Amino acid sequence: MDSKNHTGKFLTIEGIEGVGKSTAIKFIQNYLVHAKQEIVMTREPGGTGIAEQIRKVLLTPNAEETMASETELLLMFASRAQHMAHLIKPALAAGKWVVSDRFVDASYAYQGAGRGLDLKKIATLDQWIEGGLVPDATILLDASPELGLARAKSRGQRDRIEQEKIEFFERVREGYLTRAKQDPNRFHVIDAAQPLVAVNEEIKKVLDKLGNIA
Ligand SMILES: Nc1ncnc2c1ncn2[C@@H]1O[C@H](COP(=O)(O)OP(=O)(O)O)[C@@H](O)[C@H]1O
Ligand SMILES: [Mg+2]
C-alpha cells in the first residue's frame, strides 16, 4: 500500500466493456458515503476538463483516418498526466478516497496486450507520469468478452475502441489477468459473471479491508 505519499485511498476498477464497472462504482459510492468517507469518483480516459477533451479524441470513431496505436497510447498518458496533476494527487493529499473507473492497468491491457505495443515502453511512461504512485487496491471485474458485449449491447452507439473485434477483447482480458498475477496483493479479481449480489459482496470485503470501515 502506498500510504507514505498520501493519506486518502486510491481504488481503481478495471475490466473490459460491459463487465459491470459503472455498476460497481455506484455501489462503492453508496457504500463509502454510508461509511462517512469523503470520496471523489472519476474515470479514464478523462476526469478533468482537458482530460475529457482528450477522451473525445480517443473515443470518437473517425471513418477518414485510423488512429495509430502509438497515438492512442500517448493520448491515454496525456489524459492521465492531466488527471494525476489536477484531480488524483490533490484529492489524495486532502485525505479523500479516489475511485477511478480504469487507470494505468488499462494501458497495459488495451494498448499493450490488445494493440501489441511494447510493455516496456508502457512501463517507462507509467514511471514517468505516475512516478511510483500505485493504486492502494485494484478491483478487476473479469468475464468473457461475449458476456461483456451482451451486457453492454443495450447502450447506444459503440465508441471507437468498443468497435474492436472479439479477439481484441480476449487479448485485453488476458492482459488484465496477467497484470493481476504479477501484483496479487494489489489486485482483487472478481468473477463478474456472478449475480450482482455476489459481486457486491466481494467488493464490500475489499472496501472493508482497505478502509478499515467495517
Ligand atoms: N453481475 C451482473 N449481473 C448481471 N448484469 C449485470 C451485472 N453487472 C452489471 N450488469 C449489467 O450489465 C450492464 C453493463 O454494466 P456496466 O456497469 O455499464 O459495465 P461497464 O461499466 O463495465 O461497461 C448494465 O446494464 C448492468 O446493469
Ligand atoms: Mg462503464
Side-chain angles (χ1 to χ4, degrees):
M1 212 182 281
D2 183 33
S3 54
K4 288 187 295 296
N5 302 318
H6 61 260
T7 50
K9 299 286 180 200
F10 185 20
L11 174 65
T12 59
I13 317 300
E14 299 281 357
I16 58 171
E17 341 293 327
V19 287
K21 297 181 297 302
S22 299
T23 309
I25 288 201
K26 278 191 214 110
F27 173 78
I28 291 168
Q29 182 167 30
N30 270 326
Y31 193 74
L32 292 178
V33 166
H34 262 97
K36 307 228 175 333
Q37 305 291 307
E38 263 202 278
I39 54 165
V40 177
M41 319 298 295
T42 187
R43 68 171 179 182
E44 284 208 349
T48 77
I50 291 175
E52 290 287 331
Q53 286 181 304
I54 299 172
R55 178 187 177 95
K56 276 208 192 88
V57 177
L58 273 163
L59 299 184
T60 306
N62 186 331
E64 315 284 300
E65 181 181 342
T66 57
M67 185 178 287
S69 298
E70 290 79 1
T71 309
E72 183 178 291
L73 177 68
L74 292 169
L75 285 176
M76 287 290 179
F77 272 95
S79 144
R80 187 163 298 131
Q82 206 60 24
H83 196 204
M84 289 290 293
H86 289 273
L87 190 148
I88 296 174
K89 280 187 179 172
L92 291 175
K96 295 175 185 164
W97 283 70
V98 174
V99 183
S100 188
D101 188 330
R102 294 209 177 102
F103 188 59
V104 73
D105 296 302
S107 284
Y108 289 91
Y110 279 80
Q111 285 74 48
R115 302 287 188 212
L117 291 176
D118 183 2
L119 295 174
K120 285 199 221 84
K121 290 207 174 88
I122 300 176
T124 302
L125 290 168
D126 184 4
Q127 189 52 43
W128 181 30
I129 301 305
E130 273 71 67
L133 194 146
V134 177
D136 294 297
T138 298
I139 291 174
L140 173 57
L141 295 170
D142 178 64
S144 70
E146 287 83 1
L147 183 69
L149 293 175
R151 280 185 186 167
K153 221 156 89 192
S154 59
R155 283 205 287 256
Q157 184 110 51
R158 289 194 191 173
D159 70 36
R160 190 183 60 83
I161 296 177
E162 285 170 348
Q163 288 175 358
E164 283 297 331
K165 294 193 288 288
I166 202 114
E167 296 78 42
F168 174 81
F169 295 107
E170 286 288 2
R171 293 197 296 276
V172 175
R173 180 190 191 188
E174 290 308 316
Y176 269 134
L177 289 170
T178 302
R179 287 284 294 165
K181 277 200 206 95
Q182 289 164 346
D183 199 349
N185 289 327
R186 171 167 67 94
F187 270 92
H188 301 267
V189 183
I190 297 179
D191 176 4
Q194 299 178 93
L196 199 50
V197 280
V199 172
N200 287 346
E201 204 48 47
E202 291 197 36
I203 292 174
K204 201 161 95 58
K205 281 191 199 134
V206 175
L207 297 175
D208 289 345
K209 191 164 157 231
L210 182 63
N212 211 5
I213 53 175

